[in-house]
């Protein structure tokens, strides 16, 4: 008897959940890009553990920024911009370092990056590079990527 009650309760929860979230899911679907440019921008956010911001930025600048600059030389990336919040105590602890990378187009953003070859060429001491990159991620609380879809609002509906 208890088993039938549990199965019925689970089925009811699934039914309620599927009905209640369907409109929300549709409303939150990602917007299609309708901008006239082919370029695609992605924001990469990092939340560095308290007290490690300077170390993180130094490791990023030493080990990852040169790899991104090589992507610019090849034309895959058209710009790399980095940001930090103006204030650390503004009530938001979402991120402490952000990178905006603009790619030539969707294929450049999603296709093979060639970073492995770039890293081998730029950093002959691979053991040190791997150790420092591991450290860069050890001192993070969080990291997330946000590919953006540009909307051209001047085009009307």
């Amino acid at each position: 008897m208890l088993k039938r009650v549990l199965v019925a309760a689970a089925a009811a929860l699934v039914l309620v959940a599927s009905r209640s979230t369907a409109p929300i899911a549709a409303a939150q679907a990602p917007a299609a890009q309708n901008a006239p440019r082919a370029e695609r921008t992605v924001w990469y956010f990092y939340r560095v553990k308290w007290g490690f911001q300077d170390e993180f930025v130094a490791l990023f600048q030493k080990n990852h920024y040169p790899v991104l600059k090589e992507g610019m030389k090849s034309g895959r990336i058209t710009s790399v911009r980095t940001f930090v919040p103006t204030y650390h105590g503004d009530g938001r602890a979402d991120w402490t370092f952000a990178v905006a990378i603009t790619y030539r187009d969707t294929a450049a953003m999603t296709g093979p990056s060639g970073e492995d070859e770039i890293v081998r060429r730029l950093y002959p001491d691979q053991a040190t590079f791997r150790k420092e990159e591991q450290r860069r991620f050890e001192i993070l609380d969080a990291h997330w990527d946000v590919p953006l879809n540009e909307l051209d609002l001047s085009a009307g509906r």
Side-chain angles (χ1 to χ4, degrees):
M1 175 72 178
L2 179 61
K3 184 177 180 182
R4 278 190 293 191
V5 170
L6 290 175
V7 169
L13 284 174
V14 168
L15 181 63
V16 168
S18 67
R19 286 186 180 163
S20 65
T21 59
I24 292 170
Q28 293 179 351
Q33 179 160 333
N34 69 353
R37 292 191 303 247
E39 290 183 329
R40 295 296 310 270
T41 299
V42 179
W43 279 80
Y44 299 87
F45 292 95
Y46 302 85
R47 187 173 61 230
V48 181
K49 292 178 182 176
W50 186 257
F52 294 99
Q53 181 78 7
D54 291 341
E55 180 182 2
F56 177 84
V57 172
L59 288 169
F60 185 94
Q61 185 174 18
K62 178 182 178 192
N63 291 322
H64 195 58
Y65 187 65
V67 174
L68 297 173
K69 295 294 277 185
E70 288 295 310
M72 289 180 70
K73 287 181 186 176
S74 74
R76 177 177 170 262
I77 296 172
T78 61
S79 78
V80 175
R81 297 169 34 214
T82 56
F83 301 86
V84 294
T86 300
Y87 305 109
H88 70 274
D90 66 356
R92 295 182 54 97
D94 293 353
W95 60 278
T96 61
F97 185 80
V99 182
I101 300 176
T102 301
Y103 296 90
R104 177 186 62 240
D105 53 26
T106 300
M109 180 180 77
T110 61
S113 66
E115 283 188 11
D116 290 341
E117 186 276 321
I118 292 169
V119 166
R120 281 191 296 278
R121 184 169 38 84
L122 291 179
Y123 303 99
D125 183 352
Q126 287 291 292
T128 298
F129 175 81
R130 282 192 297 277
K131 182 179 176 185
E132 289 176 348
E133 281 296 274
Q134 179 180 341
R135 175 64 182 162
R136 183 166 68 96
F137 282 91
E138 284 173 352
I139 60 179
L140 289 179
D141 277 331
H143 167 66
W144 60 99
D145 308 338
V146 182
L148 302 173
N149 293 317
E150 184 176 352
L151 300 177
D152 182 1
L153 298 179
S154 66
R157 290 198 121 161

